[in-house]
Amino acid sequence: MFACLYAPACAQEKLLALASSFSPLVENTAPGVVIFSVAGLGKLIGTPHQIAAAIARAGADAYMQANLAISADPDTAVLAARHFGGITLISQGKEADTLGGLSVPVLGSWANRQLIETLENWGVRTLAELAALPELGFVARFGEEGLRLLRLARGETRRSLRAMAAPEHYERRMDLEHPQKLLEPLLFVIAPLVNELMELLARQGLAAHRVTLGLVLENKSEHRRTLEFPVPIHDPKILLRQLQFDLETHPPQAAILAVQVHLIPGEPRVLQHGLFVPQVPAPEKLQLTLARLTALLGEGNVGSPELLDTHRPDAYVMRSFSPETPACPTQPGAFRFAFRYYRPAPAAQVRVRAERPVSVNAKDVLVAAGPWRVSGGWWTDIPWSREEWDVELSNGGLYRIYTISSRWFLEGIYD
Amino acid sequence: MEAGFTYLDQFITERATRRCWWQALREKFQKPTFSSRDTAGLCPLTFSLCFQRIPEGEHKTKMVTLPCSAISEVFGAISSGKTMFLHNFLAEASARDEVCALVDSRGAFDPLSASAAGVNLRRLLWVRCAGRLEHVFKAADLILHNGGFGVVVLDLCEVPSRDLNRIPLSYWYRFRLAVENSPTRLIVTSDQPLVKSCARAQLEVKRECFLWRGPVFHGIHFEAQSRRQQHVQLAG
């Protein structure tokens, strides 16, 4: 049995919400039209009359004005709901009798106008007259479309519902019986939650794009960590390892009372590699390796450098590494040397004679080039200004030193 | 049949000539040197990897590639030009769309000069180890076992000799095993030779001179000498 709600003046969301409160099988047929299955409601509510009354009451509570039709055939229910006001109950086998009085043009949304006009020219005015036509001859003249129209008039389409996928919240929570302090037992709690959610995603052909782990702590606070992946992950083991590395790096400050995992789904990556394209690291494996490296070396020490648009020396930011990002072609510039920084720049003992450095850290200066005065950022809160020298020392190295307010620093070495 | 024989003869002759040319080249240059000066006068950074001087008096460029699936070692004194050599190697690799990784023991990498040399920074994974040698080797091991990287550079420059001499040889054996069935080139760079028999190619970089244009430092002329000639490939 199927029920159809017809309310052209009502918001579609309200119609869908009303239908969803009675059945998980809901078809969003057209604007203002919703069909849903009431097959299992007999045991729960009662007879079709009682079901119809229950739906009508729920609609009235939601301040909705709609036509309702219940029938064994979904398209019959749609026709009845559209063209009969109030509540219509059509018992099985009585579909053609109920719809018989409707005129043929009501089928306009199922058939083309030319076919309807042809039927009118033939003198077929009502659905009852149409249903009475011989099937074989009708199909010979109008083909598949004619057959469909004939079945609509007889109330015999018997199609399946195009059920709307219920909006899924990929979220699971588990309350612990005792506060948990150690990470390893906690992973045994997180693992089944992650596995269950990833299985749900896999069934719908999706992968995890972002994961949020919420830990309710004993001190009434919440420890929340969100990991976002450049490439959606479909392997629960990799996701679990990522969470493990993140928790090792950012441990909660108190014992844990409850665990909550929330996944944001994304379309899985589909990529066809070329035969002659160089091999690149597998994205999922790479993410795991980057997480391990970050856990080992700390945040900000693993990534890809991005130069800042400034003349300030050593100006760059560390971005997360993703070889999938489109490569921008770089052309070799006019540099004929490479530089190696000492980070942070150590203080240097520089002896100056006639305003030129003559020794650096007790090593004689053979050649000194400078001073190169550089400054910038004076229009910001962090202005910078200094004097640089390139000095070749007696140990064979060529260094860059600089001075800021009479203090000397060794910035690095040319190599 | 006759035509086929003629073609075969010609093929054999060509092969023989080519072999003779290679043998002559090897005899002539038992230890070939690669100089940044060989490209065009005083333009040290416009070369491709490095270049070899072929006959006496004539400057002809030959591209030299370090072996795949093996460890190569590049070493030299301070300000010898080894970092410049590496930047150019990374630039060549990123131009081929390879993904590169740099395990930086001291965090000394300069993105600006690398970018100016042509390194595509977006395809470079930079790992800073803040001077902790055990982290350097753990990080390199993770990257090598991840796979998919075209070039992995292990930068051990300016690490004190006493620490370098304590590196167990088994580390290099493990790394050699990790790369031997992959297209990855592992390049170890330091101030002194370290990898010993595990390195298939060894290049020693020596500075010829600093270039000054008036008071402005302009560049470094360097010479890279192969310690193991048989493993250095001439590619064109």
Side-chain angles (χ1 to χ4, degrees), chain B residues 3-17:
Chain B
F5 274 121
T6 310
Y7 177 76
L8 189 64
D9 285 346
Q10 188 183 350
F11 178 73
I12 291 169
T13 312
E14 279 183 7
R15 287 286 298 270
T17 311

Side-chain angles (χ1 to χ4, degrees), chain A residues 342 344-350 360-361 401-402 407-411:
Chain A
Y342 297 138
Q349 290 182 341
V350 180
V360 177
N361 290 344
I401 57 173
Y402 65 91
R407 292 185 65 199
W408 289 89
F409 296 91
L410 196 59
E411 184 165 42

Side-chain angles (χ1 to χ4, degrees), chain A residues 315-393:
Chain A
Y316 71 93
V317 286
M318 197 71 123
R319 300 271 183 224
S320 61
F321 177 68
S322 173
E324 301 284 321
T325 50
C328 52
T330 47
Q331 296 297 326
F335 275 36
R336 284 153 173 78
F337 51 82
F339 194 71
R340 299 177 63 83
Y341 276 97
Y342 297 138
R343 295 187 179 103
Q349 290 182 341
V350 180
R351 234 164 18 97
V352 180
R353 190 180 301 153
E355 296 185 351
R356 296 181 72 82
V358 290
S359 81
V360 177
N361 290 344
K363 292 182 183 68
D364 291 339
V365 173
L366 304 179
V367 181
W372 315 115
R373 294 189 175 94
V374 286
S375 64
W378 48 266
W379 57 92
T380 66
D381 296 336
I382 39 170
W384 53 274
S385 170
R386 64 189 202 173
E387 280 185 7
E388 291 179 354
W389 287 82
D390 294 329
V391 288
E392 184 184 347
L393 301 185

